[in-house]
Amino acid sequence: GVELRMLSQKEMKQLEPNMRGVRALLSPSTGILDSQALMRYFLDKARSNGAQIAYETKVIGIDKIPDGYRVNVEDSQGNFSFTTKVLINCAGLNSDKVAGMAGIDIDEASYRLRFCKGEYYSVNNRKSGLLNRLIYPVPTTTGLGAHVCFDVSGRMRIGPLYYYVDEVDYKIDDSRKKALCQSAIMAALPFIEPHDLEPEMAGVKASPQGKDEGFRDFIINHECNMALPGFINLIGIDSPGLTSAPAIAKYVGTLVDETLRNY
Ligand SMILES: Cc1cc2nc3c(=O)[nH]c(=O)nc-3n(C[C@H](O)[C@H](O)[C@H](O)COP(=O)(O)OP(=O)(O)OC[C@H]3O[C@@H](n4cnc5c(N)ncnc54)[C@H](O)[C@@H]3O)c2cc1C
């Protein structure tokens, strides 16, 4: 598990003099990573192991064939297809639709995804130096809540403020800033005032649960029970999917080995 230490108010104030709170939990191994650099590393690793990447190429259909699958795709030149014994669906926001292309009833299987948008606000640079680490409020049953994060250049931001949306877009609805200002994290940071916060960016999560529904874990299934041997679904890989990616990849690797052994 993750190492955690309970801090008294005095210890908390020594580490974060500008933070308000009664006590705190310290997670000494928590860190920030450069997600683009991590992607470049994974890409290099995959290529050196023989992977070929088809960019700007969309899966539009999947046919079950005796020895595996025919995958129909579309790119700027037109449509083509390829066949494979093992097919791993990790299409993020579209992973439920891709599962549906293989003939799975996504409502019956409880695979239908909801879109959950998270908005971040950057904190005025003059205040960025007033904290030394990531700060989280006490989590609720529905998530971590908006928290303090830093980008790799040290710029402070607060978020994500999550809400469900019907369509994917990356616009920020700044009428929600008031809700952020009233969130638990802001109560711990009295030095940040509403005018210190500027809308910065938004992201959309593929959430396996809808608004006010209980927490659901990642869905990682080898669909042999649905008569689809070799079809592996990764659906609703919500946060912390990036942190979990190496562990997920190892697990999926065991499913692939198992499939190939049974061929
Ligand atoms: C605001 C926000 C903050 C987050 N913060 C964190 C964090 O701090 N730590 C953390 O660990 N995680 C975080 N996450 C979660 C993390 O980003 C996801 O868990 C992770 O990106 C999921 O990876 P994925 O590969 O399943 O999906 P994605 O990263 O969405 O990749 C899916 C890929 O499939 C492609 N695709 C989609 N449809 C098709 C199709 N039909 N044909 C071909 N390709 C297709 C897409 O173009 C994309 O390249 C955050 C997410 C959000 C939105």
Side-chain angles (χ1 to χ4, degrees):
V2 177
E3 182 198 343
L4 289 175
R5 258 183 38 222
M6 181 65 90
L7 301 180
S8 65
Q9 190 179 49
K10 191 173 160 208
E11 289 169 316
M12 179 191 87
K13 284 279 180 194
Q14 276 163 357
L15 293 175
E16 294 293 351
N18 297 304
M19 201 182 115
R20 184 159 64 192
V22 181
R23 309 193 77 177
L25 278 173
L26 176 69
S27 166
S29 60
T30 292
I32 304 167
L33 63 79
D34 177 344
S35 54
Q36 302 288 317
L38 182 68
M39 291 308 116
R40 284 194 295 274
Y41 170 78
F42 286 153
L43 181 61
D44 284 352
K45 273 279 193 198
R47 282 199 172 125
S48 64
N49 282 310
Q52 290 178 351
I53 319 283
Y55 292 107
E56 306 289 328
T57 307
K58 186 176 172 185
V59 175
I60 53 170
I62 298 168
D63 303 316
K64 178 82 191 83
I65 55 173
D67 236 5
Y69 300 89
R70 176 175 297 105
V71 184
N72 305 307
V73 297
E74 179 184 67
D75 69 8
S76 58
Q77 311 293 308
N79 297 357
F80 65 100
S81 64
F82 62 90
T83 60
T84 177
K85 283 182 177 156
V86 175
L87 180 57
I88 302 168
N89 165 24
C90 50
L93 296 171
N94 287 328
S95 51
D96 56 345
K97 295 181 193 76
V98 171
M101 289 177 199
I104 294 176
D105 180 330
I106 60 171
D107 290 309
E108 192 147 299
S110 298
Y111 285 176
R112 188 173 293 281
L113 290 171
R114 274 75 181 185
F115 301 134
C116 191
K117 190 191 269 194
E119 297 178 342
Y120 288 90
Y121 283 72
S122 59
V123 178
N124 187 319
N125 268 339
R126 284 184 298 110
K127 309 264 171 104
S128 261
L130 295 177
L131 291 174
N132 303 309
R133 52 182 55 69
L134 309 177
I135 313 276
Y136 294 78
V138 176
T140 64
T141 47
T142 51
L144 291 177
H147 50 269
V148 173
C149 12
F150 294 91
D151 64 19
V152 277
S153 70
R155 188 177 167 84
M156 193 198 293
R157 57 168 81 108
I158 299 202
L161 180 69
Y162 279 120
Y163 58 98
Y164 282 87
V165 291
D166 294 329
E167 302 287 333
V168 174
D169 73 57
Y170 298 95
K171 289 193 284 255
I172 295 193
D173 172 6
D174 60 9
S175 68
R176 293 176 184 268
K177 180 174 167 180
K178 195 168 166 214
L180 183 70
C181 292
Q182 291 168 346
S183 65
I185 190 64
M186 289 295 279
L189 309 171
F191 62 91
I192 300 180
E193 294 165 80
H195 60 81
D196 292 321
L197 299 173
E198 284 296 326
E200 189 185 285
M201 62 163 195
V204 180
K205 295 194 299 183
S207 176
Q209 70 272 332
K211 189 170 185 287
D212 301 326
E213 288 174 8
F215 168 79
R216 283 186 68 198
D217 208 343
F218 303 151
I219 298 161
I220 306 177
N221 275 345
H222 180 194
E223 305 294 3
C224 34
N225 292 339
M226 296 205 194
L228 295 169
F231 185 51
I232 299 168
N233 273 319
L234 282 84
I235 298 176
I237 309 296
D238 198 338
S239 188
L242 182 65
T243 312
S244 316
I248 293 175
K250 270 192 194 143
Y251 176 62
V252 172
T254 63
L255 298 179
V256 172
D257 289 345
E258 183 188 285
T259 307
L260 293 177
R261 260 200 312 275
N262 292 332
Y263 258 101

